[in-house]
């Protein structure tokens, strides 16, 4: 018996680049640029080559910006 339990993007702690692009309505290329420029900002987690974005910290980061 298989139970496919889907967690909504709004409930996830970390988002992939694809999920973050959809959630924040920011292009993948722009997100990758932001991640590479702000690796020490506290919203980026690297798991090998996979990049994850801490959703709430990234929201706070975006709140402080006036433009991207």
């Amino acid at each position: 018996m298989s139970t496919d339990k889907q967690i909504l993007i709004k409930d996830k702690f970390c988002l992939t680049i694809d999920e973050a692009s959809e959630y924040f309505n920011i292009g993948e290329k722009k997100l990758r640029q932001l991640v590479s420029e702000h690796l020490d900002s506290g919203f980026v987690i690297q798991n090998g080559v996979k990049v994850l974005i801490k959703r709430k910290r990234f929201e706070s980061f975006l709140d402080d910006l006036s433009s991207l």
Side-chain angles (χ1 to χ4, degrees):
M1 186 170 175
S2 175
T3 58
D4 291 332
K5 194 171 197 177
Q6 294 284 337
I7 299 174
L8 300 175
I9 290 176
K10 69 177 184 71
D11 296 330
K12 288 187 173 186
F13 179 74
C14 291
L15 305 174
T16 64
I17 295 290
D18 292 337
E19 292 170 336
S21 176
E22 182 181 332
Y23 183 81
F24 293 107
N25 200 28
I26 300 172
E28 288 182 33
K29 187 174 181 180
K30 186 64 172 185
L31 276 172
R32 291 185 192 283
Q33 178 186 0
L34 285 169
V35 164
S36 68
E37 292 173 356
H38 298 91
L39 285 174
D40 60 346
S41 64
F43 64 81
V44 178
I45 296 176
Q46 287 187 296
N47 182 11
V49 296
K50 187 174 186 177
V51 174
L52 299 173
I53 297 173
K54 294 180 184 177
R55 185 180 52 81
K56 289 184 181 180
R57 286 199 182 179
F58 191 62
E59 287 174 357
S60 297
F61 172 78
L62 291 177
D63 283 341
D64 295 336
L65 295 179
S66 59
S67 67
L68 287 176

